[in-house]
Every structure is written in C-alpha cells, then in structure tokens.
Amino acid sequence: MRRMLVIALVVGFMLSGWSTPATGARDDAAVGPLVGSWLVEVEFAGQPPLQLPNLVSFTSDGIVTVATPTLLPETPDSGGSRNLFRAGQGAWRATGEAGADVRFIFLVVDERGNPVSINIVDGHLEVDKGGESYTGEFTLMIASATGENPPATSGSWRATRISPGGTAIAMPEESEAIATPAT
C-alpha cells in the first residue's frame, strides 16, 4: 500500500509539471521581458558610438550569446595584423522585474588564429516598460595573451528587440532603413 502511495505521488508531481529545474533555470516571474534577441548599439565612455551593430540573445535558462562583427578594425598596437572576435557566450540573472546582470566572454584571435586576448564584459541592463528596448552600462576587461592587460574600460549600451512583423531597422552607415519581412 505504501509503495502505491509513493508511485501515486510521483505520477501526480509529473502530471502537474513539477520538476527539479536545471542550474540557472528561471521561473516565468524571474525571466521578465528580457528573453529574446536584440540589436545592440555600444558606446565606450568618452568615445563616439561604435558603428558596429551587435546581436544578443537571452534564453530563459540564464544563457546569453553575443554576435559581433568578426573582423575588428586595425589598431595602432596591432602591428599591421587585424584581429577577429569569436561569438561571445555567458550568463545572466534577473535583478528585479526588468533588470538583469550579465557576463559574457569573447575570445579574440589574430588572422592566423593565434590567441590575442580574452575579453570579459560585465554589465547591468534595464528593459523599458514596453519590453521593446533596454539600456545599461558595462565594464570591459581584457586579458591579453602577452600578459599586458590594459585597465578596464566602461561604456553603455542600448538595444532594440528583434521581433517578427516588419519593424524597420536602420543600418549604421546607410540612411535608408531595411524593413524586415513580416511572417
């Protein structure tokens, strides 16, 4: 009889949707409006906004993926070599109804695939009341392969949600907007 009661309880929990969440999993209340994909503009403190769009996606289980332009512009200290970003990966956690803390990491290599640096981004963001944009601030730390690590730099970001339905998205270097197709 006791065995039947235990089996009934287990089946009842399974049918009610109860389960042990994976590490980092969130309930719907903690997820809030952040889950989805975003087009992000980045600005470093004291510099003009970058004209390089970034794509960021947040999953409901606390994962963040970031896509940036792969080939970086040549810099004075690059010795004529151009560096390549790899996709960023990381984690996020809700800090309230519309806020989140985030950390993601990019691997940077030179044109031959040699390690250049590990770029670590820590930030906070707040989604607007309509759930269609967010703004926030971040700190970028660079761990150089040569051991010469510059001081952390800070900046801000603002993002627009990527949604189906024909929203116009302006390319940074073009005056014409590109309409995304409605599905």
Side-chain angles (χ1 to χ4, degrees):
M1 182 70 158
R2 181 179 168 129
R3 183 175 177 188
M4 292 299 289
L5 179 60
V6 170
I7 291 172
L9 286 173
V10 170
V11 170
F13 280 128
M14 291 172 67
L15 291 175
S16 69
W18 178 85
S19 65
T20 303
T23 301
R26 295 166 170 31
D27 62 25
D28 288 342
V31 169
L34 185 59
V35 171
S37 294
W38 303 83
L39 180 63
V40 182
E41 297 174 43
V42 176
E43 185 173 338
F44 287 95
Q47 297 180 18
L50 293 176
Q51 296 298 306
L52 303 171
N54 295 271
L55 300 173
V56 179
S57 294
F58 296 91
T59 66
S60 62
D61 59 351
I63 295 172
V64 59
T65 58
V66 183
T68 65
T70 302
L71 185 60
L72 297 173
E74 189 174 324
T75 60
D77 63 343
S78 67
S81 176
R82 296 182 78 179
N83 294 330
L84 303 146
F85 262 114
R86 297 297 177 220
Q89 299 182 24
W92 71 275
R93 71 172 168 252
T95 59
E97 286 185 33
D101 287 333
V102 61
R103 170 176 265 198
F104 50 91
I105 298 172
F106 294 101
L107 302 178
V108 181
V109 298
D110 68 16
E111 292 173 319
R112 292 175 296 286
N114 299 313
V116 172
S117 67
I118 297 173
N119 294 9
I120 303 165
V121 178
D122 284 311
H124 181 77
L125 58 91
E126 292 285 332
V127 179
D128 73 347
K129 290 187 187 289
E132 294 302 312
S133 65
Y134 72 72
T135 57
E137 297 177 350
F138 66 88
T139 302
L140 168 65
M141 296 164 285
I142 299 173
S144 169
T146 64
E148 298 173 23
N149 301 329
T153 186
S154 62
S156 62
W157 49 41
R158 52 185 183 275
T160 304
R161 182 181 295 281
I162 300 172
S163 299
T167 303
I169 298 174
M171 293 299 290
E173 299 176 305
E174 298 178 12
S175 59
E176 298 289 320
I178 297 175
T180 57
T183 55

